[in-house]
Amino acid sequence: MIQTRPDGPVWSGYSRDPSGFMFKLNDQYYRQVNQIYAGNYDLLLSSGLYHELSQKKMLIRHEDVSGSVPGTPGYYKTLLPQQLPFISYPYEWSPSQLRDAGLLTLRITRMAMEKGMILKDATPFNVQFLEGRPLFIDTLSFMTYDSSQPWIAYRQFCECFLFPLYLHHYLGTGIHRLLAAWPEGIPAIHAARMLPGRSRLNAGAWMHLFLQTKIRTDNLPGGRRPSFSSGHLQRLLIHLENILQRLSTGNFSDKGWSGYYTDSILSQSYLADKERCFLELIDQLPITSALDLGANDGYFTRLMAQKNIRVVAVDAEWQCMETLYRSLSGQKPGDILPLCVDIADPTPPGGFAGTEREGFTARARAGLVAALALIHHLVLSRNIPLPALAAYFAQLASQYLIIEFVPLSDKKSQELIRNKDSYHSDYNIENFESCFSRYFQIEKRASIGDTGRVLYRMKKSVCP
Amino acid sequence: MIRSFLLYIDPGSGSYLIQVIIAAVLGAAFFFKNLWWKFRSFFIKPKKKSSEENDPNTP
C-alpha cells in the first residue's frame, strides 16, 4: 500500500510489514526502512547480496536518500527505488508470467542462502515486470538465515505460485481468474478438490499439494521437531524449480482469439492496409506511453514499441497474453507489458479496505489508447453503450485515441448479433462519431481497404 | 496440535514437517539414483568424454 507522508497533505493507512513501507512524495515513490529491520538491511548490503541481485537485474535498484528525505519516527533509512512505469498484479498475469515470477523467487532464495539470508515471504506481489522480465521489488523481504530451520515462506510459495500453476497445468484455465478469487494464494485443500484424480499420480503434486491436506501438525508425537539443514532446503528449492519449469503454461486446444490475425484473418491485405494506416496515424505523435486494448497477439503493440513507446497490452483472453509474453523473451522487446484484463470488467481495487492495490482503471493512464477491432465486441457482445465507452476511453487516454470502427454489416459484427439483432440500432458510424466527439476531436479518418472498417485518430479535447 | 487450514496463519505454520518429509524423500531418491548410476557404470563402461564433461562439479 502506498501511503502519503504525514508531512504531506493526507496521512492514510498502515503497513502490514513492520519492517517499513512505501510512500509517495513529490510524485516519487520512496521506501522507508524501520529500525526493526536495520540488522537485516545492513546484512543485505554488507553480504554483497543486494549488489549481486541488483547487478543481475533480479532485485530492484535503490538509492539511499536518508540524508535528504528523513522518515517518520522509528525509521532507519529512506530509499529511493528505481521508479517503475506500471504496477501490475498476479491476477492480471498469464501463466508464464506467474511461472517466471516463481522461478525468480526461488533463485533469489537460493542465492540469498549462500550469503546467509533467506526470503521471509514468497508472494507474487513482490514481483513486477520490466522490459519483459520479472523483477523482485521488495527490498525488505530478506532476513537472516537460520540453517536449522525450513523455509518459513514455503507454504505461501505453494499457495501463491505452485497450486495455481498445477491447476492451469491440469485444467488449462489460465491463472489470473484463480488469483483474482484467491489473491493471497489458493489453500491446498481447495486446490486438491479442484484437481482431477490423475494429478494424484504426479509425485510433485502429491508431495507439495496433497501431502499438505493430510499433515496438519509441525511436531512429531512427543513434541519433537526433526532436524533440518541447508542441504535439505537447497534440494527442496531445486525440486520446486524443476517442477515449475516442467508445468505446462500453454494454450491447450481452446485457442480463443490468439491467432486472430494469423489464422482467421479476414485477409492478409486487410492486415497490410490496417498496418499502413496505423503507422501513418501514430507517426510523429508526441507520446511515450500507450495502452493497447484488446491487443490480441500484440501485432500492433509491437509496432508501437518499435517507435520507442512503452506499451501496456491488455486482452481478456489469457491465451493471447501468454503468446505475447512468450514472444518477448529472446528478442529485444522494447517495453511491452502484456496483461490479462477484460475491458468490460477491469481489475477492481483490492486488499484491506480496498485501498492496498489500485484497480486497473486508476493505474492505466497513457498518452495513447489504441482500441483496434474492439468496440464491436464491447457494444454488440457485452452491451456497453457507446456513450459510456467514449467516456471510459477518455478517462484512460491523456492525449490520443486510435480506434477502429467495425460496422454492423461486418461479418464479425453479424456473428455477434446473430441472436439479438434488434438490440443495437444506434450502433452506426454517425452515432459513434457523435459520442466520441464529446471527448475527442477527430483528427484523421482512414478506411481500411474495402472492408468498411474505419481507423480514427482522435485527440482528447476535454477532461472527463 | 491441529490447525484449520481456513484460518489465517502465518506463512510458515504447519509446513515444518512437510518440508522435512519432502527433503527426506528427495534425499532418498537422490541416494538411490546415485546407487543406480554406480551400479550401471560398473557394468557399462562410460564413453570417453572431454575433461570438462568429466568434471565432478559439473551438474
Side-chain angles (χ1 to χ4, degrees):
Chain A
M1 176 180 189
I2 308 300
Q3 304 182 4
T4 305
R5 276 276 299 272
D7 48 357
V10 190
W11 169 256
S12 64
Y14 66 99
S15 174
R16 289 209 208 189
D17 184 357
S19 306
F21 59 89
M22 296 291 296
F23 63 89
K24 194 175 180 185
L25 194 66
N26 302 329
D27 283 332
Q28 298 260 58
Y29 290 97
Y30 294 85
R31 187 185 288 283
Q32 173 166 320
V33 184
N34 288 338
Q35 277 291 349
I36 197 171
Y37 190 73
N40 285 318
Y41 177 77
D42 289 342
L43 181 60
L44 177 68
L45 267 74
S46 64
S47 64
L49 181 60
Y50 166 76
H51 182 73
E52 186 182 358
L53 291 175
S54 57
Q55 281 287 98
K56 290 182 173 168
K57 293 187 175 178
M58 296 168 83
L59 174 65
I60 194 164
R61 285 182 283 108
H62 69 244
E63 191 186 329
D64 186 343
V65 291
S66 309
S68 53
V69 188
T72 56
Y75 101 107
Y76 178 61
K77 298 273 184 195
T78 306
L79 310 179
L80 176 62
Q82 176 187 2
Q83 304 290 298
L84 298 177
F86 195 94
I87 297 292
S88 67
Y89 296 119
Y91 37 73
E92 296 169 335
W93 296 349
S94 64
S96 285
Q97 285 173 297
L98 184 68
R99 184 197 55 195
D100 288 355
L103 287 172
L104 177 75
T105 305
L106 293 172
R107 284 169 191 156
I108 287 178
T109 308
R110 289 208 288 134
M111 287 167 75
M113 284 168 67
E114 287 169 16
K115 306 275 188 190
M117 299 199 87
I118 196 164
L119 289 182
K120 67 181 180 187
D121 57 359
T123 160
F125 291 108
N126 285 344
V127 180
Q128 288 297 324
F129 285 86
L130 188 65
E131 293 173 358
R133 290 183 51 180
L135 177 71
F136 199 84
I137 58 157
D138 191 1
T139 314
L140 309 187
S141 272
F142 297 84
M143 69 174 189
T144 309
Y145 175 45
D146 174 356
S147 62
S148 68
Q149 293 296 313
W151 188 23
I152 190 171
Y154 166 76
R155 176 195 295 280
Q156 194 181 26
F157 181 87
C158 290
E159 293 181 348
C160 292
F161 292 100
L162 190 64
F163 299 168
L165 287 166
Y166 263 128
L167 285 164
H168 175 73
H169 176 81
Y170 283 104
L171 306 174
T173 52
I175 53 91
H176 66 296
R177 290 297 187 187
L178 292 170
L179 289 176
W182 286 282
E184 296 194 14
I186 308 173
I189 203 153
H190 291 329
R193 281 177 189 160
M194 287 188 276
L195 281 169
R198 65 193 163 95
S199 63
R200 287 167 189 269
L201 302 175
N202 179 301
W206 192 86
M207 278 193 278
H208 295 288
L209 201 160
F210 293 105
L211 195 62
Q212 289 200 33
T213 65
K214 311 271 181 225
I215 297 176
R216 302 182 177 201
T217 174
D218 277 346
N219 300 316
L220 289 174
R224 196 166 56 84
R225 277 201 164 193
S227 63
F228 204 80
S229 72
S230 62
H232 288 141
L233 186 51
Q234 285 282 1
R235 204 167 282 153
L236 183 87
L237 294 170
I238 290 169
H239 190 236
L240 286 170
E241 254 183 73
N242 289 339
I243 291 176
L244 252 55
Q245 272 164 339
R246 281 200 299 262
L247 286 177
S248 162
T249 52
N251 286 13
F252 289 77
S253 54
D254 175 19
K255 288 190 72 171
W257 288 95
S258 177
Y260 179 80
Y261 287 115
T262 49
D263 302 346
S264 66
I265 189 66
L266 302 161
S267 73
Q268 282 303 315
S269 66
Y270 161 73
L271 184 59
D273 285 342
K274 187 162 156 179
E275 179 177 338
R276 187 176 40 75
C277 293
F278 183 75
L279 287 172
E280 275 174 27
L281 293 183
I282 63 167
D283 194 39
Q284 307 290 326
L285 280 188
I287 48 153
T288 55
S289 65
L291 259 177
D292 190 356
L293 306 178
N296 200 274
D297 62 3
Y299 189 90
F300 292 88
T301 310
R302 262 192 217 91
L303 293 179
M304 286 187 270
Q306 283 163 10
K307 301 257 177 199
N308 288 326
I309 299 170
R310 177 174 55 74
V311 195
V312 175
V314 308
D315 202 291
E317 298 286 337
W318 66 264
Q319 292 96 331
C320 294
M321 296 296 93
E322 173 72 24
T323 309
L324 178 56
Y325 176 71
R326 286 184 186 199
S327 75
L328 301 180
S329 62
Q331 55 176 287
K332 194 174 181 299
D335 196 350
I336 294 174
L337 174 62
L339 296 178
C340 309
V341 173
D342 180 0
I343 286 304
D345 183 19
T347 320
F352 179 67
T355 57
E356 279 185 289
R357 299 181 294 274
E358 284 183 320
F360 176 77
T361 307
R363 283 175 281 139
R365 299 283 181 283
L368 168 68
V369 167
L372 306 180
L374 174 71
I375 63 157
H376 58 309
H377 291 287
L378 297 174
V379 176
L380 302 177
S381 182
R382 308 295 290 273
N383 291 0
I384 296 169
L386 270 174
L389 205 54
Y392 186 59
F393 286 178
Q395 200 181 337
L396 297 178
S398 61
Q399 295 175 73
Y400 290 94
L401 171 69
I402 292 184
I403 188 165
E404 181 179 1
F405 181 77
V406 180
L408 203 58
S409 56
D410 191 277
K411 192 178 146 203
K412 296 284 178 190
S413 298
Q414 287 297 313
E415 283 176 18
L416 298 174
I417 56 165
R418 226 174 355 221
N419 299 316
K420 48 179 186 179
D421 53 321
S422 62
Y423 255 73
H424 304 289
S425 54
D426 58 351
Y427 182 76
N428 55 58
I429 201 159
E430 293 78 22
N431 191 34
F432 163 79
E433 289 191 5
S434 151
C435 290
F436 279 79
S437 296
R438 215 179 138 198
Y439 306 94
F440 297 95
Q441 177 198 340
I442 297 173
E443 287 193 333
K444 280 189 180 176
R445 290 178 189 81
S447 296
I448 307 172
D450 55 1
T451 59
R453 298 183 173 200
V454 184
L455 211 53
Y456 289 83
R457 187 174 85 199
M458 306 186 183
K459 187 171 186 192
K460 195 164 160 190
S461 48
V462 294
C463 291
Chain B
M1 184 167 57
I2 294 179
R3 288 194 178 93
S4 163
F5 274 62
L6 301 176
L7 291 177
Y8 176 79
I9 45 176
D10 75 72
S13 304
S15 68
Y16 191 111
L17 197 56
I18 304 263
Q19 291 181 72
V20 170
I21 293 169
I22 294 174
V25 171
L26 294 175
F30 185 72
F31 175 79
F32 285 113
K33 207 169 164 184
N34 263 359
L35 207 66
W36 164 247
W37 281 106
K38 276 182 188 163
F39 175 76
R40 197 171 175 271
S41 60
F42 183 78
F43 291 102
I44 304 166
K45 275 199 168 178
K47 283 180 191 172
K48 278 210 164 183
K49 291 176 182 174
S50 70
S51 56
E52 194 189 321
E53 280 170 324
N54 281 332
D55 182 359
N57 293 324
T58 305

